[in-house]
Amino acid sequence: QVQLKESGGGLVEAGGSLRLSCVASGRAFSRYSMGWFRQAPGKEREFVAAMHFSGPDQKYADSVKGRFTMSRDNSKNTVYLQMDSLKSEDAAVYYCNLQTNWGKGTLVTVSS
């Protein structure tokens, strides 16, 4: 079975940066896309970003476009989410997604 494991969350000041990682195990992922979602306290889970392993296509939520960037390392079955210029609104649990598979999340906290 596919397992996803996020890491890289933590406490950061507003305006700072974090890089999240998601490692997928159990399968090859070159044919698929992987995405990031987040859920803030009292909010619904929302889409953040996604990209394909095999191509250049990427998609970002309007709320993070220009600040967040995805990248990948196919040899490690890993995708990254570089988060810059973090805002208090970005504070959430961030989840890695591959098809119907989800990680357990990594917490990002942003202080003012």
Side-chain angles (χ1 to χ4, degrees):
Q1 298 295 318
V2 174
Q3 286 194 126
L4 304 174
K5 186 175 182 180
E6 306 96 337
S7 62
L11 174 64
V12 63
E13 293 185 351
S17 298
L18 286 172
R19 189 178 75 159
L20 307 183
S21 300
C22 177
V23 180
S25 62
R27 299 191 181 203
F29 301 100
S30 61
R31 297 179 61 187
Y32 307 111
S33 62
M34 188 171 291
W36 290 94
F37 289 71
R38 68 187 183 187
Q39 187 167 20
K43 303 291 185 180
E44 300 294 324
R45 187 175 296 189
E46 64 177 353
F47 170 79
V48 176
M51 72 177 299
H52 291 277
F53 277 97
S54 60
D57 292 346
Q58 297 186 28
K59 181 180 179 181
Y60 297 91
D62 289 343
S63 59
V64 307
K65 195 170 186 178
R67 300 187 297 117
F68 290 11
T69 305
M70 286 192 70
S71 60
R72 66 178 186 248
D73 186 338
N74 289 356
S75 68
K76 299 179 180 179
N77 285 337
T78 300
V79 296
Y80 305 92
L81 183 66
Q82 178 68 41
M83 306 186 296
D84 297 323
S85 301
L86 282 161
K87 305 175 180 179
S88 60
E89 305 94 274
D90 297 317
V93 177
Y94 283 72
Y95 297 91
C96 182
N97 166 253
L98 175 65
Q99 296 181 301
T100 61
N101 302 287
W102 296 86
K104 293 183 178 181
T106 185
L107 178 64
V108 173
T109 303
V110 182
S111 63
S112 300

